[in-house]
Amino acid sequence: MTDFTLFDMLRGLWGGLQWTLGLSLLAFVLGGTMGLLILFARMSSSVTLRTFAKVYIELFQGTPLLMQLFMLFFGISLMGLDISPLVAAALGLTLFTSAFLAEIWRGCVQSIPEGQWEATDSLAFSYWEQMRYVILPQAFRIAIPPTVGFSVQVVKGTSVASIIGFAELTKTGTMIANATFDPFTVFGLVALGYFALCWPLSLFARRLEGGARVTR
């Protein structure tokens, strides 16, 4: 048994926590950008784009993230292409995040009263002018609380990346637990690490929800 002090455990887990935070931010930013494109495709007048967006969303919402990462990482390797666990994890979480954000935002856009669309029609706005100047600014305010709330799921979802060998917080904790034979202490610290990342986001989301109710 290797002698590990509590400080050694914390120092090792700190590196995993940083990777978890970095992966979460990367997946959320790229997933949000891609989700916006999927949103416009989902609401497009083109049947082809709407069908593609619907299938895309159903596919990534209807299958486990664990399976998506496994198929992505090992499937690409079977095709003879080398891909690092970081790239696979970032790509998998981006696709997963974009599907959910697109649906969250679509619901927010569709929650805008029909009268707002009719008012912009009377002003002879084009579709993109309607979206830019009237619909999206209102939908943006509505979307902030559920979007921040979903960011908590993204942070926790990074733990699944351990299945492909990416050394985020959970994988790092597993390796330390195997070396110390003290899983309760190690995974207790891992849980505290996730809590430290997610709790402020949860508080922020609840605060935004309260503010949204007051402004209505």
Side-chain angles (χ1 to χ4, degrees):
M1 174 178 177
T2 304
D3 292 328
F4 270 74
T5 65
L6 181 60
F7 177 76
D8 292 329
M9 293 180 185
L10 290 172
R11 184 174 58 183
L13 292 173
W14 173 246
L17 185 68
Q18 290 177 305
W19 279 113
T20 291
L21 179 59
L23 180 59
S24 300
L25 290 173
L26 187 62
F28 195 78
V29 171
L30 295 179
T33 303
M34 192 169 179
L36 191 61
L37 297 177
I38 297 298
L39 166 66
F40 286 128
R42 186 75 173 83
M43 301 186 65
S44 171
S45 58
S46 169
V47 176
T48 302
L49 287 177
R50 288 202 311 271
T51 301
F52 168 79
K54 184 176 181 180
V55 171
Y56 178 94
I57 291 170
E58 293 292 340
L59 175 64
F60 287 101
Q61 283 192 343
T63 55
L65 177 59
L66 178 68
M67 187 210 72
Q68 294 171 21
L69 289 176
F70 185 89
M71 295 296 292
L72 182 65
F73 181 68
F74 294 103
I76 292 178
S77 297
L78 287 175
M79 291 188 293
L81 299 175
D82 291 330
I83 182 172
S84 69
L86 172 59
V87 173
L91 180 57
L93 280 165
T94 294
L95 297 175
F96 176 81
T97 300
S98 64
F100 279 89
L101 287 180
E103 277 297 273
I104 290 173
W105 294 341
R106 184 174 71 92
C108 294
V109 170
Q110 291 183 336
S111 71
I112 303 301
E114 188 66 27
Q116 298 290 318
W117 293 91
E118 294 173 353
T120 54
D121 283 336
S122 67
L123 296 173
F125 279 11
S126 68
Y127 174 77
W128 293 109
E129 288 175 331
Q130 288 177 319
M131 294 293 286
R132 178 181 177 183
Y133 296 112
V134 180
I135 304 303
L136 287 183
Q138 296 180 73
F140 177 77
R141 289 192 294 270
I142 300 172
I144 292 176
T147 300
V148 175
F150 179 72
S151 68
V152 175
Q153 302 302 318
V154 176
V155 173
K156 292 188 290 186
T158 59
S159 63
V160 183
S162 60
I163 189 65
I164 59 174
F166 180 66
E168 42 63 67
L169 186 56
T170 298
K171 181 66 174 180
T172 303
T174 301
M175 292 187 294
I176 295 176
N178 291 337
T180 61
F181 300 100
D182 190 6
F184 290 101
T185 300
V186 173
F187 285 112
L189 294 172
V190 168
L192 287 175
Y194 281 110
F195 182 77
L197 292 177
C198 295
W199 187 55
L201 291 173
S202 298
L203 290 179
F204 187 45
R206 286 198 291 269
R207 182 177 179 181
L208 289 173
E209 287 173 359
R213 294 191 192 100
V214 171
T215 55
R216 286 176 184 173

